[in-house]
């Protein structure tokens, strides 16, 4: 890879194929781990329904909890902002939709690029603010480990490099576009083996906790 074009061609070709393979296989293995764990037979008489309680917990645990908002409003609001901003940038930016269409053969309408750009800028600022909060708040800093900072880095880099590429702030353009794609591939490779996996497992975990509480006849 002697030129930026060679670098771009590699990350769009073999590099992306490798990252996609690790992402898909890794996610499947992690989900299989969760599903085959099973649970011991519960011979006690159910005191309530599992399905309804599980679905209710899915909804209630997704909405912000009043006590948490009072204790740490910045963490709650910032968390919603960057999650929503990241998903909008990933799934509603037209070039991303075209890439997904080329890989999976499915597509959906996107939104205006300048709107995605504005949302991405807010998301980047929010991520920086949340890192600053984590580093300066004594409790958050105590509870944070290397994996927390690693997941922040691999989440932040695609947003930053995407913003730089969209505004062509690094010359030559193929280099910054290649760096953006490479940062996404880094995220894909680490996704199944870090806390980022909660994007797939949180539904299972919340439903299970709610269902077990419902079976015991208590509120989750």
């Amino acid at each position: 890879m002697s030129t930026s074009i060679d670098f771009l061609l590699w990350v769009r070709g073999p590099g992306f194929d490798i990252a996609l393979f690790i992402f898909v296989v890794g996610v499947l293995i992690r989900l299989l781990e969760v599903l085959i764990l099973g649970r011991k037979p519960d011979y006690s008489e159910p005191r309530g329904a599992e399905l309804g309680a599980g679905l209710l917990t899915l909804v209630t645990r997704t909405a912000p909890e009043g006590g948490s908002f009072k204790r740490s409003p910045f963490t709650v609001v910032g968390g919603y902002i960057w999650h929503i901003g990241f998903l909008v940038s990933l799934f509603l930016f037209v070039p991303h939709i075209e890439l997904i269409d080329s890989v999976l053969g499915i597509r959906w309408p996107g939104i205006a690029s300048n709107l995605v750009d504005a949302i991405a800028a807010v998301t980047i600022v929010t991520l920086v603010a949340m890192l600053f909060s984590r580093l300066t708040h004594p409790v958050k800093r105590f509870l944070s480990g290397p994996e927390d900072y690693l997941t922040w880095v691999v989440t932040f880099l695609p947003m930053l490099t995407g913003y730089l590429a969209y505004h062509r702030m690094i010359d030559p353009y193929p280099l910054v576009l290649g760096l953006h794609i490479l940062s996404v591939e880094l995220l894909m490779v680490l996704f199944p083996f870090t806390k980022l996996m909660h994007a797939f497992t949180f539904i299972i975990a919340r439903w299970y906790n709610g269902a077990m509480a419902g079976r015991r006849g208590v509120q989750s």
Side-chain angles (χ1 to χ4, degrees), residues 2 11 44 46 63 79 85 92 96 127 135 142-143 148 156 158 172 175 193:
S2 57
V11 295
S44 62
L92 295 182
H96 292 168
L127 280 168
L135 291 171
F142 177 77
L143 295 175
D148 294 296
F156 179 73
L175 174 61
F193 313 107

Side-chain angles (χ1 to χ4, degrees), residues 12 16 88-104 106-117 162 165-168 173 177 180-181 184:
R12 293 182 63 175
F16 184 79
V88 168
S89 302
L90 176 60
F91 291 115
L92 295 182
F93 187 45
V94 172
H96 292 168
I97 296 173
E98 292 176 348
L99 173 63
I100 294 172
D101 185 25
S102 67
V103 176
L104 300 177
I106 57 174
R107 61 181 301 118
W108 51 87
I111 61 177
S113 296
N114 56 352
L115 179 57
V116 176
D117 178 48
Y166 178 77
H167 291 279
R168 296 176 180 262
Y173 176 70
L177 180 59
H180 175 54
I181 297 172
V184 174

Side-chain angles (χ1 to χ4, degrees), residues 23-34 36 193 197:
F23 174 78
V24 172
V25 173
V27 168
L28 289 177
I29 290 175
R30 293 299 306 275
L31 290 177
L32 188 61
E33 284 179 345
V34 173
I36 65 176
F193 313 107
M197 188 62 193

Side-chain angles (χ1 to χ4, degrees), residues 199-213:
F200 287 100
T201 58
F202 81 96
I203 294 178
I204 301 173
R206 289 178 184 178
W207 181 87
Y208 181 78
N209 288 333
M212 290 303 95

Side-chain angles (χ1 to χ4, degrees), residues 34-35 38-39 48-62 198 200-216 218-220:
V34 173
L35 295 176
R39 58 178 180 177
E50 296 183 10
L51 179 60
L55 294 176
L56 179 62
T57 300
L58 262 179
V59 175
T60 56
R61 292 289 179 87
T62 301
H198 79 277
F200 287 100
T201 58
F202 81 96
I203 294 178
I204 301 173
R206 289 178 184 178
W207 181 87
Y208 181 78
N209 288 333
M212 290 303 95
R215 179 181 175 84
R216 299 186 185 100
V218 297
Q219 187 174 358
S220 173

